[in-house]
Amino acid sequence: MLGTIRKESGGTRGASLPHPDETRETFTWDIAEAMLDGLPDGALNIAHEAVDRHVAAGQGAQVAIRWLGKGDAREEITYADLAERTSRFANVLKAHGLERGDSVFGLMGRVPELYVTALGTLKAGLIFTPLFSAFGPEPIRTRMEIGSAKALVTTETLYRRKIAKWCAEIPTLKLVLIVGDEAPEGCVALAPAMAEASPDFETARTMPEDRALIHFTSGTTGKPKGAVHVHKAVMYHAISGRYALELTPGTIYWCTADPGWVTGTSYGIISPLVNRVTMIVDEAEFDLDRWYTTVEQEKVEVWYSAPTAIRMMMRAGDDATKPYDFSGLRFLASVGEPLNPEAVVWSNRVFGKPFHDNWWQTETGGIMIANLAAADVRPGSMGKPMPGIKAGIVERTSTGVKELADGDIGELALRPGWPSMMRTYLDEQARYDKCFVDGWYLSGDLAMRDKDGYYWFVGRADDLIKSSGHLVGPFEVESALIEHEAVAEAGVIGVPDETAGEVIKAFVTLKPGYTPDEELERSIRGHARKKLGPAVAPREIVFRNTLPKTRSGKIMRRLLKARELGLPEGDISTLETDET
Ligand code: ATP
Ligand code: MG
């Protein structure tokens, strides 16, 4: 294990909340509720909490979104602007006959209209679903069908390329809004419609249990599921942003997640705005120099990213970080995949702060297990359960589940009851019901808790490898591999073997300047054997230019495995990179 990173103090700076360590046992949801305003008669609306109440409290002039367009375009949107634009948008929906509970889809990159669409839809009491703009026509269509889309907001290019052909065949779809001044036949241009609409709208009095968002899972393990979330989730977005991301009013915050998946909404829109931060939104995709420049010039204080991006930074090396001043950063966090210990140590060295890993899922709606600012970081660990969250490690038995002891590997489970938990999977009630056994929500991930209460990710239940009587999690092997100087990324699977049951096979990508040859393969295998022991080290290493990943940046081990075994590839609608 790479040593602990100790913290002397810090955490939830300037916050009026109890310290997370003190409140872990005594926590009640009243603490989260007190962070919100609410609406008359027990109503609660995410858009009101994220935008309008700040304006009512005299903070309308604060910048909510500082948008950096591709190239040098820039736009600053204040809370007052956002309140007005979302009201206009809500009026546009109403003018076209959309009603409370209808479903609105957003398909676009990180443009200001995306934020207006998401929040304006919620303000009007409708349900918002984001989609990845990089999706092909088929994944878009199936999701719109499953979600009974009534309206779609997209760009002209995306519409012509991906939607136009089949759009008339979606029976529920009434309205296609196109970002900009003009729209193709049958669609409505958003800019003029907004200009004509009234800037006043009375926020819908949604109730806490009313549906607000539908998020499709990443599809890493199979067909994506549509997780249904309600307005009450905002309670959890408020408090988890404070505790796990250190978001306080005025913080300059940058979440790099794609808006097409849950992180892009929970922590790319709602949580930061509820906590009245100034969000940096960068329209461009990952580009090392641009990212480092943005952190420096925008004076980013809190940065929330993902292992795939962090590994790209590591791949470029320490020297690439040297020209930049990162002293404005005060908290860094990562989600989406296991964060290799090497990445934690590296970031601590080059940024002066480590990336803090946290764990959650589309289903949980918010961060469940986290390394908090105030706590020591054990590189490679996901941290501890958040205040208000009760987690356990369990084993399924023939009659239910049994809790396991510290140090044992089992399924990571949570006691339901936090506000942002999904309420069902769309049209798949049975699949949803199967997630709950003996009062636990079973996550499908395997983990271990150490004696000090830190949780360690082992792998997806489906990805676990059984080799010569050992249970091996791919994460452990991948982390050892990327400690080798030549390795940038690694994906590890088990392949059937007559004597061992399964043997471990690794697919790796290399850092620039290394040649994929036999000598290097031997060197990497030797390194892995030394770190992991012969039983757990990969038997074979294959060099690849890229690893197959979902659009949310997750390595698709099931695809590596299916191809290895010549099995059907299954649902690959979310597949992004894929070259051999
Ligand atoms: P699907 O459920 O469709 O297979 P998915 O599980 O990848 O896709 P998401 O909900 O986007 O869809 O991702 C949640 C999963 O991502 C978690 O269950 C876990 O496997 C992984 N994950 C997220 N954060 C972490 C983390 N910090 N460490 C390890 N794994 C993580
Ligand atoms: Mg999942």
Side-chain angles (χ1 to χ4, degrees):
M1 189 175 56
L2 296 160
T4 303
I5 298 173
R6 298 213 177 276
K7 308 278 190 60
E8 277 170 12
S9 62
T12 51
R13 202 183 64 141
S16 53
L17 295 176
H19 191 281
D21 280 345
E22 282 156 22
T23 190
R24 223 172 232 114
E25 298 305 319
T26 56
F27 184 88
T28 65
W29 291 112
D30 301 348
I31 300 173
E33 205 165 353
M35 295 176 72
L36 304 176
D37 242 18
L39 290 170
D41 307 322
L44 183 69
N45 186 297
I46 294 175
H48 174 77
E49 302 302 331
V51 184
D52 292 75
R53 68 163 168 150
H54 301 315
V55 181
Q59 305 290 346
Q62 186 190 316
V63 175
I65 298 175
R66 190 179 296 151
W67 180 74
L68 315 176
K70 288 180 185 152
D72 307 328
R74 280 174 82 89
E75 187 180 343
E76 298 212 321
I77 302 166
T78 63
Y79 278 91
D81 294 334
L82 199 53
E84 184 188 320
R85 291 192 208 182
T86 50
S87 288
R88 287 182 186 270
F89 183 84
N91 279 318
V92 170
L93 293 179
K94 226 168 102 183
H96 283 89
L98 274 91
E99 289 167 4
R100 282 271 295 265
D102 281 350
S103 175
V104 177
F105 277 61
L107 176 76
M108 64 201 113
R110 294 182 198 83
V111 290
E113 287 81 357
L114 172 80
Y115 301 83
V116 173
T117 300
L119 294 160
T121 298
L122 296 171
K123 198 175 218 182
L126 282 67
I127 303 165
F128 177 67
T129 301
L131 293 176
F132 283 102
S133 55
F135 272 157
E138 202 43 49
I140 297 172
R141 179 177 176 153
T142 22
R143 284 166 183 72
M144 282 175 59
E145 277 169 355
I146 301 174
S148 310
K150 286 271 172 68
L152 169 70
V153 186
T154 188
T155 65
E156 178 159 2
T157 318
L158 289 170
Y159 176 79
R160 288 195 191 281
R161 266 203 235 139
K162 302 181 178 184
I163 319 274
K165 270 202 199 125
W166 48 265
C167 163
E169 294 161 27
I170 306 273
T172 53
L173 192 66
K174 281 193 192 165
L175 173 66
V176 179
L177 285 163
I178 303 289
V179 172
D181 293 321
E182 283 163 35
E185 170 99 34
C187 305
V188 176
L190 184 59
M194 293 271 287
E196 277 164 34
S198 159
D200 300 315
F201 186 88
E202 199 189 322
T203 302
R205 300 265 173 96
T206 42
M207 296 310 283
E209 287 299 320
D210 284 352
R211 289 182 176 196
L213 298 153
I214 294 165
H215 282 294
F216 288 92
T217 60
S218 291
T220 315
T221 55
K223 183 168 164 268
K225 300 147 269 190
V228 175
H229 293 281
V230 298
H231 280 272
K232 193 177 177 184
V234 69
M235 254 168 75
Y236 197 69
H237 295 141
I239 194 155
S240 59
R242 186 69 72 76
Y243 276 136
L245 297 176
E246 295 287 305
L247 302 180
T248 49
T251 296
I252 310 279
Y253 168 68
W254 185 23
C255 169
T256 65
D258 191 287
W261 71 301
V262 69
T263 305
T265 307
S266 291
Y267 297 102
I269 305 180
I270 302 171
S271 174
L273 296 178
V274 170
N275 281 295
R276 193 161 51 79
V277 312
T278 293
M279 304 200 296
I280 304 298
V281 171
D282 184 6
E283 187 190 12
E285 294 306 318
F286 180 85
D287 172 281
L288 193 77
D289 287 333
R290 185 175 165 114
W291 273 36
Y292 287 165
T293 306
T294 298
V295 171
E296 179 184 279
Q297 290 187 357
E298 305 305 329
K299 304 191 168 53
V300 173
E301 295 170 273
V302 178
W303 195 14
Y304 196 21
S305 197
T308 175
I310 299 164
R311 288 191 298 255
M312 278 196 270
M313 296 189 242
M314 285 172 72
R315 186 177 188 159
D318 290 25
D319 282 351
T321 63
K322 300 238 160 85
Y324 300 93
D325 173 9
F326 296 116
S327 59
L329 285 171
R330 78 181 152 80
F331 190 72
L332 285 65
S334 163
V335 70
E337 273 212 303
L339 183 62
N340 316 86
E342 184 73 11
V344 178
V345 172
W346 177 81
S347 57
N348 196 37
R349 186 171 74 235
V350 301
F351 300 123
K353 304 266 179 315
F355 269 98
H356 292 73
D357 190 18
N358 58 54
W359 175 94
W360 58 291
Q361 308 179 299
T362 308
E363 289 85 343
T364 69
I367 298 167
M368 296 284 108
I369 295 184
N371 286 286
L372 302 183
D376 294 345
V377 172
R378 297 189 176 174
S381 160
M382 310 188 280
K384 295 184 183 182
M386 292 278 289
I389 302 301
K390 175 146 183 6
I393 302 292
V394 306
E395 182 181 75
R396 299 188 195 222
T397 64
S398 54
T399 52
V401 300
K402 163 174 128 213
E403 261 195 273
L404 298 179
D406 293 347
D408 288 345
I409 292 174
E411 189 163 355
L412 175 54
L414 301 159
R415 287 283 188 205
W418 68 94
S420 68
M421 178 55 171
M422 67 167 164
R423 297 301 193 261
T424 186
Y425 283 132
L426 209 57
D427 289 343
E428 292 191 278
Q429 186 64 32
R431 203 170 176 189
Y432 170 84
D433 291 338
K434 267 175 69 187
C435 301
F436 300 89
V437 182
D438 286 350
W440 288 100
Y441 163 69
L442 301 174
S443 71
D445 286 344
L446 298 173
M448 183 273 283
R449 181 181 52 223
D450 68 22
K451 63 177 185 1
D452 302 315
Y454 283 82
Y455 282 71
W456 301 76
F457 184 81
V458 172
R460 308 242 183 187
D462 302 352
D463 292 338
L464 199 70
I465 303 162
K466 296 175 195 79
S467 187
S468 310
H470 297 270
L471 279 183
V472 185
F475 174 49
E476 184 189 1
V477 181
E478 289 160 10
S479 288
L481 289 169
I482 75 163
E483 280 175 35
H484 186 282
E485 55 174 15
V487 177
E489 278 197 301
V492 161
I493 59 167
V495 292
D497 178 84
E498 271 182 19
T499 45
E502 277 185 304
V503 291
I504 294 166
K505 180 163 182 172
F507 298 82
V508 305
T509 65
L510 296 177
K511 289 185 182 156
Y514 290 92
T515 321
D517 56 19
E518 261 177 49
E519 196 188 326
L520 185 57
E521 203 224 335
R522 258 200 311 278
S523 152
I524 299 172
R525 267 197 293 125
H527 162 84
R529 245 197 328 273
K530 223 165 56 216
K531 301 271 337 175
L532 300 163
V536 177
R539 181 78 59 87
E540 193 186 345
I541 291 174
V542 178
F543 295 111
R544 307 249 322 209
N545 289 330
T546 62
L547 296 176
K549 282 190 194 163
T550 65
R551 300 200 182 277
S552 49
K554 298 167 195 288
I555 298 170
M556 282 170 116
R557 296 177 191 82
R558 73 168 158 98
L559 196 56
L560 289 170
K561 188 155 181 170
R563 287 178 179 167
E564 182 66 27
L565 304 182
L567 297 172
E569 293 193 339
D571 187 302
I572 51 164
S573 60
T574 61
L575 178 65
E576 179 165 74
T577 46
D578 197 27
E579 305 157 26
T580 45

